[in-house]
Amino acid sequence: MVTASLTISSSVPRQATFALLVMWRRQSRGVTAQASAVWEAGPVPVTLRPLAARHFSAWLERSRAAYAKDLVTSGQTSEDADRHADESMAQFFPSGIPAPGHVVFDVVDDAGVTVGYLWIGPDTSDDAGAWWIWDIVIDADKRGRGLGRTAMLLGEEYARAQGAHTLGLSVFGFNTGARGLYESLGYEATSVKMRKKLG
């Protein structure tokens, strides 16, 4: 096993330091990478830890179900939402494992408790430097402590370390709290879908 470590300093609030540890494992089918990231300064220490393989199947089903529910809330029928969620998960997790470049991190607080997750990876364009936050969730009872903000900043640093030059995301219109967070972090709307109910 060959281990390399890289420390990146960034000009984020409180001059925080981001440490990225990349471990390369040689396997019979090639080289795979795992990463863990630790936010080392400020009042909200957060660790991004790659989701353990033994938990991946359960995470995938929960994530699919939550996405389908959000699609229904945004106006799709249950049947369309389920089909769309299934197609999306099959595209990004073929055979139940992440597509190349995609990683799902547990978001872990300073007490070592998993408080949510972050799924990040390349977007669907031909631009290798365009990355996407595909999903981020902080448990409802853990929100309001800055954990999501810190996880987002760590995600930005992780993407930058992978060669990303842009980072995008989608947010459902009904999720005003998340939209406020993203705007406060410098994300700008690039398209807006609107809908009016008739009768």
Side-chain angles (χ1 to χ4, degrees), residues 6 14 71 86 89 104 114 185 192-193 196:
L6 167 70
R14 293 185 176 82
L71 290 171
D86 287 340
M89 292 303 171
V104 179
T114 299
L185 288 168
V192 178
K193 290 183 179 179
K196 179 179 180 179

PDB file of all heavy atoms in Angstrom, residues 6 14 71 86 89 104 114 185 192-193 196:
ATOM      1  N   LEU A   6      -1.689  15.127   1.583  1.00  0.00           N
ATOM      2  CA  LEU A   6      -1.651  16.444   0.994  1.00  0.00           C
ATOM      3  C   LEU A   6      -2.415  17.378   1.905  1.00  0.00           C
ATOM      4  O   LEU A   6      -3.521  17.081   2.296  1.00  0.00           O
ATOM      5  CB  LEU A   6      -2.319  16.385  -0.393  1.00  0.00           C
ATOM      6  CG  LEU A   6      -2.667  17.685  -1.079  1.00  0.00           C
ATOM      7  CD1 LEU A   6      -1.385  18.384  -1.499  1.00  0.00           C
ATOM      8  CD2 LEU A   6      -3.527  17.407  -2.297  1.00  0.00           C
ATOM      9  N   ARG A  14     -12.444  31.908   9.238  1.00  0.00           N
ATOM     10  CA  ARG A  14     -11.554  31.593  10.350  1.00  0.00           C
ATOM     11  C   ARG A  14     -10.238  30.986   9.887  1.00  0.00           C
ATOM     12  O   ARG A  14      -9.579  30.265  10.618  1.00  0.00           O
ATOM     13  CB  ARG A  14     -12.239  30.677  11.360  1.00  0.00           C
ATOM     14  CG  ARG A  14     -13.387  31.373  12.060  1.00  0.00           C
ATOM     15  CD  ARG A  14     -13.958  30.477  13.132  1.00  0.00           C
ATOM     16  NE  ARG A  14     -14.987  31.164  13.862  1.00  0.00           N
ATOM     17  CZ  ARG A  14     -16.246  31.293  13.463  1.00  0.00           C
ATOM     18  NH1 ARG A  14     -16.618  30.772  12.334  1.00  0.00           N
ATOM     19  NH2 ARG A  14     -17.122  31.945  14.198  1.00  0.00           N
ATOM     20  N   LEU A  71     -39.156  14.201  -5.503  1.00  0.00           N
ATOM     21  CA  LEU A  71     -39.727  14.386  -6.834  1.00  0.00           C
ATOM     22  C   LEU A  71     -41.251  14.469  -6.775  1.00  0.00           C
ATOM     23  O   LEU A  71     -41.866  15.270  -7.489  1.00  0.00           O
ATOM     24  CB  LEU A  71     -39.291  13.239  -7.760  1.00  0.00           C
ATOM     25  CG  LEU A  71     -37.814  13.230  -8.158  1.00  0.00           C
ATOM     26  CD1 LEU A  71     -37.467  11.930  -8.884  1.00  0.00           C
ATOM     27  CD2 LEU A  71     -37.477  14.430  -9.035  1.00  0.00           C
ATOM     28  N   ASP A  86     -35.060   5.430  -9.967  1.00  0.00           N
ATOM     29  CA  ASP A  86     -34.400   4.169 -10.324  1.00  0.00           C
ATOM     30  C   ASP A  86     -33.393   4.377 -11.448  1.00  0.00           C
ATOM     31  O   ASP A  86     -32.272   3.856 -11.398  1.00  0.00           O
ATOM     32  CB  ASP A  86     -35.442   3.129 -10.757  1.00  0.00           C
ATOM     33  CG  ASP A  86     -36.249   2.586  -9.583  1.00  0.00           C
ATOM     34  OD1 ASP A  86     -35.785   2.710  -8.431  1.00  0.00           O
ATOM     35  OD2 ASP A  86     -37.347   2.040  -9.828  1.00  0.00           O
ATOM     36  N   MET A  89     -30.244   6.274 -10.094  1.00  0.00           N
ATOM     37  CA  MET A  89     -29.364   5.435  -9.285  1.00  0.00           C
ATOM     38  C   MET A  89     -28.642   4.401 -10.155  1.00  0.00           C
ATOM     39  O   MET A  89     -27.466   4.110  -9.933  1.00  0.00           O
ATOM     40  CB  MET A  89     -30.148   4.754  -8.165  1.00  0.00           C
ATOM     41  CG  MET A  89     -30.653   5.720  -7.120  1.00  0.00           C
ATOM     42  SD  MET A  89     -29.298   6.686  -6.372  1.00  0.00           S
ATOM     43  CE  MET A  89     -30.207   7.879  -5.427  1.00  0.00           C
ATOM     44  N   VAL A 104     -19.292   8.778  -1.947  1.00  0.00           N
ATOM     45  CA  VAL A 104     -20.265   9.122  -0.908  1.00  0.00           C
ATOM     46  C   VAL A 104     -19.517   9.158   0.409  1.00  0.00           C
ATOM     47  O   VAL A 104     -18.866   8.185   0.797  1.00  0.00           O
ATOM     48  CB  VAL A 104     -21.423   8.106  -0.842  1.00  0.00           C
ATOM     49  CG1 VAL A 104     -22.398   8.486   0.268  1.00  0.00           C
ATOM     50  CG2 VAL A 104     -22.147   8.018  -2.188  1.00  0.00           C
ATOM     51  N   THR A 114     -22.084   9.981  13.065  1.00  0.00           N
ATOM     52  CA  THR A 114     -22.465  10.261  11.686  1.00  0.00           C
ATOM     53  C   THR A 114     -23.754  11.070  11.694  1.00  0.00           C
ATOM     54  O   THR A 114     -24.765  10.634  12.250  1.00  0.00           O
ATOM     55  CB  THR A 114     -22.651   8.961  10.885  1.00  0.00           C
ATOM     56  OG1 THR A 114     -21.404   8.256  10.876  1.00  0.00           O
ATOM     57  CG2 THR A 114     -23.093   9.234   9.466  1.00  0.00           C
ATOM     58  N   LEU A 185     -22.921  30.558   0.382  1.00  0.00           N
ATOM     59  CA  LEU A 185     -21.612  29.992   0.067  1.00  0.00           C
ATOM     60  C   LEU A 185     -21.113  30.426  -1.310  1.00  0.00           C
ATOM     61  O   LEU A 185     -20.046  29.999  -1.745  1.00  0.00           O
ATOM     62  CB  LEU A 185     -21.673  28.457   0.139  1.00  0.00           C
ATOM     63  CG  LEU A 185     -21.778  27.875   1.546  1.00  0.00           C
ATOM     64  CD1 LEU A 185     -22.135  26.392   1.481  1.00  0.00           C
ATOM     65  CD2 LEU A 185     -20.476  28.070   2.313  1.00  0.00           C
ATOM     66  N   VAL A 192     -33.782  28.351 -13.631  1.00  0.00           N
ATOM     67  CA  VAL A 192     -34.887  28.286 -12.677  1.00  0.00           C
ATOM     68  C   VAL A 192     -36.089  27.696 -13.398  1.00  0.00           C
ATOM     69  O   VAL A 192     -36.480  28.168 -14.465  1.00  0.00           O
ATOM     70  CB  VAL A 192     -35.253  29.681 -12.124  1.00  0.00           C
ATOM     71  CG1 VAL A 192     -36.440  29.573 -11.189  1.00  0.00           C
ATOM     72  CG2 VAL A 192     -34.057  30.308 -11.419  1.00  0.00           C
ATOM     73  N   LYS A 193     -36.669  26.653 -12.846  1.00  0.00           N
ATOM     74  CA  LYS A 193     -37.913  26.097 -13.381  1.00  0.00           C
ATOM     75  C   LYS A 193     -39.053  26.646 -12.540  1.00  0.00           C
ATOM     76  O   LYS A 193     -38.959  26.717 -11.314  1.00  0.00           O
ATOM     77  CB  LYS A 193     -37.915  24.564 -13.277  1.00  0.00           C
ATOM     78  CG  LYS A 193     -36.956  23.878 -14.215  1.00  0.00           C
ATOM     79  CD  LYS A 193     -37.104  22.377 -14.075  1.00  0.00           C
ATOM     80  CE  LYS A 193     -36.193  21.636 -15.011  1.00  0.00           C
ATOM     81  NZ  LYS A 193     -36.325  20.168 -14.869  1.00  0.00           N
ATOM     82  N   LYS A 196     -47.069  26.648 -12.316  1.00  0.00           N
ATOM     83  CA  LYS A 196     -48.294  27.182 -11.730  1.00  0.00           C
ATOM     84  C   LYS A 196     -49.352  26.097 -11.766  1.00  0.00           C
ATOM     85  O   LYS A 196     -49.562  25.434 -12.791  1.00  0.00           O
ATOM     86  CB  LYS A 196     -48.777  28.400 -12.525  1.00  0.00           C
ATOM     87  CG  LYS A 196     -50.056  29.003 -12.011  1.00  0.00           C
ATOM     88  CD  LYS A 196     -50.447  30.205 -12.839  1.00  0.00           C
ATOM     89  CE  LYS A 196     -51.734  30.841 -12.337  1.00  0.00           C
ATOM     90  NZ  LYS A 196     -52.104  32.029 -13.131  1.00  0.00           N
TER      91      LYS A 196
END
